[in-house]
Amino acid sequence: MDIYLLFALSFIPLLTVFLLFRILVPGQKIRYELWACFVGLLTMIPASFVQYYILNLPIFLANTVINLLITAIIFNGFIEESFKAGFMFLLPQKKLTLPVFFTCALLCGMTLGCFESVVYMIKKINAAIYPLGATALLTLMVKRMLTAVLIHTFCAGLSGLGLWMLRHKQRHLSPFIWAILLHGLYNYFADFKDYFYWFSTVAILKSIQECYDWYKYNNLSDTGVDIKRK
């Protein structure tokens, strides 16, 4: 299989979701979606620097349970999600409704996840002792689509909802905290080779649930319904 075709296939989820949001979300415009994708691409720059330079320092390479957990929470969780939230300030929130802004946030995360998957596969190909076959590469690509791309997407959704609340005078840090913890826990358990790996799937499902709950909370708040959430 041509390697460039494989890289192109990695963006199928992004293209599919891009088109679905344009069709199904009232008020969503292609220019908003393109800008959201560009913002997600910008996030790749500092995220890649942290992942491939800072995390390769000897202090972060100690293979202990505590070190891996702290590294996952601080770098994969706190720093990467802070970058996402910071760059999402570039989205023109005053012009957007909640559904449009939320789907733009999801696109930011999915763009980052898809580009990161390409970088990840290049790294795997270069590090392989023997050439990876088409089946192995396709399996790796699909696995990334169903795991890393999803956690990036929905954690970005949580950070986006937290940003929406911040700009609407609701000082609620819970969406940001959930994004940090779930992203960090996903990366931590994804490194395991035994049954502990499946806890990374739990982190993905929890991120989807939290996105749904916080979106519903914000949607009800925007309609004037008096609700409270801890």
Side-chain angles (χ1 to χ4, degrees):
M1 174 179 288
D2 186 89
I3 192 66
Y4 296 106
L5 175 59
L6 181 69
F7 292 160
L9 291 176
S10 299
F11 293 94
I12 287 179
L14 178 62
L15 178 60
T16 302
V17 170
F18 187 100
L19 294 174
L20 287 176
F21 285 166
R22 176 63 184 87
I23 295 169
L24 300 176
V25 179
Q28 184 61 275
K29 299 182 184 300
I30 290 179
R31 67 175 182 272
Y32 296 153
E33 293 184 292
L34 289 174
W35 181 248
C37 292
F38 178 70
V39 170
L41 182 58
L42 286 178
T43 312
M44 271 290 297
I45 300 173
S48 296
F49 177 79
V50 169
Q51 185 172 358
Y52 294 104
Y53 291 96
I54 303 299
L55 291 183
N56 283 325
L57 294 175
I59 189 174
F60 300 116
L61 294 178
N63 194 23
T64 65
V65 172
I66 298 299
N67 185 75
L68 290 174
L69 181 59
I70 292 175
T71 300
I73 295 295
I74 293 178
F75 285 96
N76 300 116
F78 178 73
I79 293 182
E80 284 195 22
E81 292 307 319
S82 295
F83 286 146
K84 285 183 192 173
F87 278 102
M88 278 192 284
F89 269 101
L90 297 174
L91 296 177
Q93 185 172 328
K94 291 184 179 180
K95 299 179 180 180
L96 308 182
T97 62
L98 175 61
V100 173
F101 182 81
F102 177 62
T103 50
C104 283
L106 294 177
L107 284 173
C108 284
M110 184 165 282
T111 301
L112 172 59
C114 289
F115 273 99
E116 187 183 76
S117 290
V118 171
V119 174
Y120 179 85
M121 285 191 292
I122 292 174
K123 186 177 179 180
K124 283 289 185 181
I125 292 170
N126 291 335
I129 299 176
Y130 301 103
L132 297 176
T135 301
L137 289 173
L138 279 172
T139 301
L140 178 61
M141 180 190 70
V142 173
K143 181 180 178 181
R144 294 285 300 183
M145 286 181 181
L146 298 176
T147 54
V149 173
L150 289 182
I151 197 67
H152 273 296
T153 300
F154 289 103
C155 284
L158 282 170
S159 294
L161 289 171
L163 180 58
W164 178 271
M165 296 171 73
L166 179 65
R167 286 181 165 178
H168 286 77
K169 312 303 181 183
Q170 298 184 58
R171 300 184 182 279
H172 228 314
L173 294 178
S174 296
F176 291 118
I177 293 173
W178 274 116
I180 292 167
L181 289 178
L182 292 172
H183 192 166
L185 289 173
Y186 163 80
N187 275 81
Y188 175 68
F189 286 112
D191 285 333
F192 284 88
K193 304 301 181 183
D194 52 18
Y195 62 88
F196 281 109
Y197 170 83
W198 294 103
F199 283 100
S200 64
T201 304
V202 175
I204 295 171
L205 295 175
K206 181 63 175 175
S207 69
I208 295 172
Q209 179 211 326
E210 288 297 323
C211 271
Y212 173 79
D213 290 343
W214 284 106
Y215 179 85
K216 183 169 65 174
Y217 172 87
N218 279 279
N219 196 40
L220 290 173
S221 296
D222 287 351
T223 59
V225 177
D226 186 17
I227 56 175
K228 293 182 179 180
R229 178 169 178 177
K230 296 181 180 180

